[in-house]
């Protein structure tokens, strides 16, 4: 099935990662992570399974460069799925502020998927990704100016702004592509026009000059407004009446920094300098307070980490995984990779690295840490801690050597490892984990993404439920949650898919699908072919009605255990329970505690009613119809674009 990169809908959106918040306080500068514009390409990716790893590898390559020089460029792959990437911080940012700005840009650019290119301008940095070499481009049809504050400035300011812009255009090409200019406004004691100009380092001086000339022509069209930005293919320019520039020369590049002060009237340079320092200090304090007021969730997470000793140093995890080497990679999916690591005390760990992200990364990271740190059960993957003070967010889990269930049941060779006794034990273990989440933990938790790739196996092949990034908790007085749809196509209950109504019965439905997959060795998701076949649910229902369920059984079970009469009866009973769990009407589905009772006690089972028969052609139409004007978008199924389909350890 075509892999889909998820933009998970979340009700808890943080404007910064916790790591960004903590580093910001330490740095004392302004990383200027405000997004000015995201511009996506027009061509869809060619092959998702190639495009995603190439994009991820490019971003990883650039990350290392950004931490040392404030600039990075990389190329990964070949052919139509090749990925070219470039990122650059503006010259007045320190390296630490640069890392923060780049981290924000990196979480946002994946929003352009499924298009294979895009660019993002932040007030402190720029980032671009394409499937062709754009490194020498300095102009394009999408170059434009964005005018800011509508405050109208007088003629003296306008003249000072023009002087500052022109000086930047003249200076930057011969100064490594960078200039910062301050021009004092005539007739005032403390007002200035501030200008920043930056060309991408891939441009030569003549291309940089041409880019800035185009940028200046468009940006001056913003006057008499007090703010203007030029977003050009090869450069960025900004003017303002505010002191947006960082006070100290940045270390994000080796280029010199020029500050020009043009005094049109007699004034004291000392008074001006003091005024700038004091004004910048006041602005900085207001900025920090504003961020703190909007970061309550981040502060809660910080307190949780400190109180529970969950925090790991980024450097410790980087060393444990050999700098996240390819040799230690356990798997990869839509949200990142997982690497095996060994701590200094010899403990083996699995590090979930959230580097391929979207604008909701912080919310999902907080959600997973917050939920999984409050639960503990033998059939839930144990969270050892996390790191959120480095350039990327990391989750640290116990290491489970056999990885995930899907690697066994959907593989004809590895499937031989799981006889019926092992499969039955995995089924019961998964049920016990879900009973705990639904009924026995302090808060009622709905997992929302129960599937084979999220069931991990320890050294004795015992089941542990993983991936709480999509989990939701709710109060006792609520019968259901109406929420944005998120999950994996093929495992979601019809009432949740159609109406967004989320109860424990959604997990029951997903578990029912998983039961049938364990018995049959077939995945419920349709494959990417031109022909549409019945889903696993439909096929199983038809065989159940005809009394021929044994024809569906995994051949590994037939070869190993099916001659045993007791095994045959247990398999038939499990299929029956799977159909009870996947009934179309939610109220008819059993609770997970009832499922556990059905599995462990001999008792008669009620006759199942039919599962939902989903028209996959209709679903495909909705999946591809994302334009607001599309007639199919009026239905709830339009939100199918939010589905995930990832399989790695753990996602």
């Amino acid at each position: 099935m075509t892999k889909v990169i998820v933009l998970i809908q979340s009700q808890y959106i943080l404007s910064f990662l916790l790591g960004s918040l903590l580093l910001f306080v330490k740095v004392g500068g302004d990383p200027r992570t405000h997004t000015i514009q995201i511009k996506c390409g027009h061509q869809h990716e060619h092959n998702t399974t190639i495009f995603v790893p190439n994009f991820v590898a490019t971003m990883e390559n650039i990350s290392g460069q950004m931490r040392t020089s404030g600039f990075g460029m990389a190329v990964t792959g070949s052919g139509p799925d090749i990925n070219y990437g470039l990122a650059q911080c503006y010259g007045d940012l320190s390296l630490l502020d640069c890392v923060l700005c780049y981290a924000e840009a990196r979480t946002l650019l994946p929003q352009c998927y499924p298009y294979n290119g895009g660019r993002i301008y932040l007030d402190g940095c720029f980032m671009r990704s394409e499937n062709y070499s754009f490194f020498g481009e300095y102009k394009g049809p999408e170059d434009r100016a964005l005018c800011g504050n509508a405050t109208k400035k007088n003629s003296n300011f306008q003249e000072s702004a023009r002087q500052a812009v022109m000086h930047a255009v003249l200076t930057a090409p011969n100064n490594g592509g960078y200039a910062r200019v301050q021009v004092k406004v005539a007739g005032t004691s403390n007002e200035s026009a501030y200008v920043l100009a930056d060309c991408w380092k891939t441009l030569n001086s003549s291309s940089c000059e041409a880019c800035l000339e185009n940028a200046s022509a468009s940006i001056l069209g913003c006057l008499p407004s007090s703010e203007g930005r030029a977003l050009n293919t090869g450069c960025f320019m900004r003017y303002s009446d505010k002191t947006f520039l960082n006070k100290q020369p940045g270390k994000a590049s080796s280029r010199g920094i020029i500050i020009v002060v043009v005094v049109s009237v007699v004034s004291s340079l000392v008074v001006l300098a003091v005024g700038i320092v004091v004004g910048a200090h006041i602005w900085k304090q207001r900025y920090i307070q504003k961020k703190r007021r909007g970061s309550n969730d981040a502060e809660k997470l910080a307190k949780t980490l400190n109180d529970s000793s969950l925090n790991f140093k980024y450097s410790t995890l980087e060393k444990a995984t050999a700098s996240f080497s390819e040799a230690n990679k356990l798997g990869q999916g839509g949200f990142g990779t997982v690497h095996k690591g060994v701590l200094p005390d010899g403990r083996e760990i699995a590090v979930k690295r959230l580097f391929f992200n979207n604008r909701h990364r912080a919310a999902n990271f907080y959600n997973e840490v917050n939920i999984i740190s409050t639960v503990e059960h033998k059939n839930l993957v144990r969270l050892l801690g996390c790191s959120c003070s480095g350039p990327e967010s990391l989750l640290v889990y116990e290491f489970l050597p056999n990885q995930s269930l899907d690697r066994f049941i959907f593989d004809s060779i590895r499937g031989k490892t799981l006889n019926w006794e092992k499969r039955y034990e995995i089924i019961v273990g998964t049920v016990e984990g879900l009973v705990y989440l639904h009924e026995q933990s302090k808060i009622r938790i709905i997992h929302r993404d129960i599937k084979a790739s999220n069931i991990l196996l320890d050294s004795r092949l015992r089941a542990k439920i993983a991936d709480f990034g999509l989990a939701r908790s709710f109060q006792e007085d609520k019968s259901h949650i109406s929420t944005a749809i998120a999950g994996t196509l093929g495992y979601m209950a019809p009432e949740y898919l159609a109406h967004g109504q989320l109860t424990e019965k959604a997990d029951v439905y997903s578990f029912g699908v998983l039961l049938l997959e364990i018995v049959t060795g077939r995945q419920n998701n349709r494959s990417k072919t031109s022909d549409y076949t019945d889903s696993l649910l439909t096929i199983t229902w038809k065989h159940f009605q005809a009394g021929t369920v044994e024809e569906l059984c995994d051949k590994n079970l037939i070869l190993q255990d099916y001659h045993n009469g007791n095994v045959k009866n247990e398999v038939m009973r499990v299929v029956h329970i799977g159909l009870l769990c996947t009934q179309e009407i939610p109220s008819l589905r059993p609770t997970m505690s009832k499922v556990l009772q059905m599995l462990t006690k001999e008792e008669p089972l009620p006759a199942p009613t039919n599962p939902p028969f989903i028209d996959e052609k209709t679903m495909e139409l909705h999946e591809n119809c994302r334009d607001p004007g599309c007639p199919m978008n009026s239905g709830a199924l339009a939100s199918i674009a939010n589905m995930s389909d990832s399989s790695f350890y753990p996602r």
Side-chain angles (χ1 to χ4, degrees):
M1 177 178 179
T2 302
K3 298 294 180 183
V4 179
I5 305 303
V6 187
L7 300 179
I8 302 178
Q9 300 297 318
S10 175
Q11 57 185 347
Y12 305 108
I13 307 245
L14 307 181
S15 39
F16 281 99
L17 292 178
L18 176 64
S20 300
L21 176 66
L22 298 178
L23 278 176
F24 176 80
V25 176
K26 293 178 183 177
V27 171
D30 176 13
R32 298 204 302 269
T33 55
H34 174 65
T35 302
I36 306 305
Q37 186 182 71
I38 302 177
K39 193 70 176 178
C40 299
H42 305 289
Q43 181 181 350
H44 280 225
E45 49 78 24
H46 176 259
N47 186 327
T48 301
T49 57
I50 302 176
F51 169 79
V52 172
N54 284 353
F55 178 90
V56 167
T58 298
M59 294 302 103
E60 271 309 283
N61 193 331
I62 291 175
S63 287
Q65 299 174 58
M66 294 296 283
R67 288 193 287 267
T68 58
S69 67
F71 169 81
M73 56 184 290
V75 182
T76 306
S78 61
D81 296 296
I82 193 171
N83 187 266
Y84 292 80
L86 178 150
Q88 179 173 320
C89 290
Y90 306 144
D92 65 319
L93 262 63
S94 69
L95 276 177
L96 286 177
D97 285 339
C98 178
V99 168
L100 298 183
C101 190
Y102 171 70
E104 181 73 5
R106 188 175 173 177
T107 67
L108 296 171
L109 192 60
Q111 290 183 12
C112 283
Y113 182 87
Y115 298 105
N116 63 7
R119 63 184 79 176
I120 178 171
Y121 298 84
L122 275 67
D123 261 335
C125 57
F126 168 83
M127 184 175 177
R128 186 178 179 186
S129 174
E130 303 285 358
N131 72 331
Y132 69 93
S133 179
F134 59 88
F135 299 140
E137 292 182 357
Y138 66 88
K139 66 178 179 179
E142 296 175 347
D143 292 353
R144 60 177 302 192
L146 291 180
C147 304
N149 197 318
T151 302
K152 305 301 181 184
K153 306 297 292 187
N154 60 32
S155 57
N156 286 343
F157 175 83
Q158 295 180 52
E159 180 57 30
S160 297
R162 290 189 182 93
Q163 290 182 30
V165 168
M166 290 302 101
H167 196 93
V169 172
L170 292 173
T171 304
N174 299 314
N175 189 50
Y178 168 64
R180 55 183 287 170
V181 181
Q182 176 187 337
V183 175
K184 191 176 185 302
V185 176
T188 65
S189 59
N190 60 2
E191 187 177 20
S192 296
Y194 302 88
V195 169
L196 171 72
D198 254 288
C199 291
W200 317 145
K201 284 188 174 183
T202 51
L203 300 185
N204 57 33
S205 59
S206 60
S207 295
C208 176
E209 182 179 5
C211 186
L212 291 177
E213 286 178 351
N214 292 336
S216 65
S218 61
I219 200 174
L220 291 177
C222 289
L223 292 172
S225 293
S226 61
E227 186 91 39
R229 297 172 176 84
L231 313 179
N232 282 35
T233 300
C235 58
F236 173 84
M237 181 179 284
R238 178 183 179 185
Y239 82 81
S240 178
D241 63 343
K242 305 296 182 185
T243 57
F244 66 89
L245 294 164
N246 281 312
K247 293 183 296 180
Q248 298 299 324
K251 297 180 181 180
S253 71
S254 59
R255 296 172 289 177
I257 293 180
I258 180 168
I259 303 178
V260 179
V261 180
V262 179
V263 182
S264 300
V265 297
V266 178
S267 62
S268 170
L269 293 178
V270 175
V271 172
L272 177 62
V274 171
I276 292 174
V277 172
V278 172
H281 176 74
I282 294 173
W283 184 90
K284 170 190 164 185
Q285 294 302 317
R286 289 177 178 175
Y287 180 87
I288 292 176
Q289 290 301 319
K290 179 180 178 182
K291 289 301 176 186
R292 284 176 175 171
R293 284 195 298 269
S295 302
N296 290 333
D297 284 339
E299 291 175 357
K300 289 178 183 177
L301 177 55
K303 187 176 187 304
T304 298
L305 295 177
N306 292 331
D307 292 347
S308 58
S309 301
L310 288 170
N311 213 7
F312 280 80
K313 289 183 179 179
Y314 183 86
S315 58
T316 299
L317 300 178
E318 189 174 34
K319 183 177 181 180
T321 59
S323 298
F324 305 103
S325 69
E326 192 70 19
N328 285 330
K329 189 163 76 171
L330 297 172
Q332 178 171 309
F335 287 92
T337 61
V338 176
H339 293 257
K340 180 183 177 180
V342 180
L343 294 174
D345 61 8
R347 281 185 297 165
E348 292 182 319
I349 56 174
V351 181
K352 180 177 178 180
R353 192 181 189 196
L354 305 175
F355 59 77
F356 187 75
N357 294 298
N358 52 66
R359 64 181 297 182
H360 306 312
R361 172 173 78 166
N364 293 320
F365 181 79
Y366 172 77
N367 190 58
E368 183 147 4
V369 173
N370 188 47
I371 288 181
I372 201 171
S373 63
T374 64
V375 298
E376 186 173 352
H377 188 271
K378 66 181 179 66
N379 295 113
L380 302 180
V381 172
R382 188 158 57 96
L383 179 74
L384 303 179
C386 63
S387 170
C388 49
S389 59
E392 297 159 339
S393 296
L394 307 173
L395 290 170
V396 185
Y397 294 93
E398 60 178 317
F399 173 70
L400 299 175
N402 285 308
Q403 301 186 39
S404 54
L405 177 60
D406 63 314
R407 295 172 180 262
F408 289 86
I409 60 175
F410 302 138
D411 187 290
S412 59
I413 303 301
R414 290 180 179 174
K416 296 176 182 178
T417 307
L418 298 182
N419 59 20
W420 177 246
E421 182 181 357
K422 285 294 182 185
R423 296 190 193 211
Y424 195 80
E425 185 180 354
I426 289 168
I427 290 170
V428 172
T430 304
V431 174
E432 290 177 343
L434 286 172
V435 170
Y436 173 82
L437 292 177
H438 290 180
E439 303 175 24
Q440 297 173 358
S441 62
K442 293 180 180 179
I443 54 175
R444 298 165 66 194
I445 298 172
I446 304 173
H447 188 279
R448 287 211 297 176
D449 204 19
I450 295 296
K451 59 182 178 180
S453 59
N454 283 336
I455 306 300
L456 306 189
L457 304 176
D458 67 9
S459 58
R460 293 173 55 186
L461 296 173
R462 292 174 298 192
K464 289 179 179 284
I465 300 173
D467 192 357
F468 289 76
L470 300 183
R472 288 288 178 267
S473 60
F474 60 99
Q475 304 301 320
E476 294 294 332
D477 59 348
K478 291 185 179 180
S479 60
H480 71 268
I481 302 174
S482 292
T483 179
I485 296 173
T488 303
L489 185 60
Y491 299 86
M492 288 182 293
E495 73 280 0
Y496 178 43
L497 182 63
H499 307 295
Q501 293 184 352
L502 179 63
T503 69
E504 298 102 322
K505 296 301 180 73
D507 278 353
V508 174
Y509 182 92
S510 302
F511 173 76
V513 175
L514 177 63
L515 277 187
L516 301 181
E517 291 182 332
I518 291 174
V519 170
T520 64
R522 305 184 189 189
Q523 193 167 6
N524 190 46
N525 300 56
R526 59 176 172 80
S527 60
K528 186 179 181 182
T529 63
S530 58
D531 298 325
Y532 290 87
T533 59
D534 288 337
S535 68
L536 177 59
L537 287 182
T538 302
I539 295 171
T540 304
W541 175 253
K542 290 178 179 178
H543 279 279
F544 183 81
Q545 293 288 83
T548 56
V549 169
E550 60 188 71
E551 295 179 12
L552 292 175
C553 288
D554 188 338
K555 63 181 181 180
N556 286 318
L557 290 181
I558 295 175
L559 293 174
Q560 295 180 42
D561 300 315
Y562 211 68
H563 62 277
N564 185 318
N566 289 334
V567 169
K568 181 176 180 179
N569 291 335
E570 285 183 356
V571 170
M572 293 299 103
R573 187 175 180 85
V574 165
V575 171
H576 193 147
I577 294 172
L579 290 174
L580 289 172
C581 290
T582 54
Q583 294 175 100
E584 184 171 11
I585 302 173
S587 61
L588 296 179
R589 298 174 207 150
T591 63
M592 290 311 303
S593 57
K594 183 62 177 177
V595 171
L596 183 59
Q597 182 179 327
M598 291 176 177
L599 287 168
T600 56
K601 295 183 180 180
E602 289 292 337
E603 60 178 47
L605 300 178
T609 59
N610 65 277
F613 293 102
I614 299 175
D615 184 345
E616 292 184 339
K617 291 184 180 179
T618 301
M619 296 180 74
E620 175 78 0
L621 179 59
H622 279 291
E623 184 174 349
N624 292 329
C625 188
R626 301 182 183 183
D627 190 282
C630 178
M632 296 301 297
N633 251 354
S634 58
L637 285 180
S639 57
I640 204 169
N642 293 325
M643 306 302 141
S644 76
D645 181 21
S646 56
S647 55
F648 64 107
Y649 173 112
R651 194 189 59 207

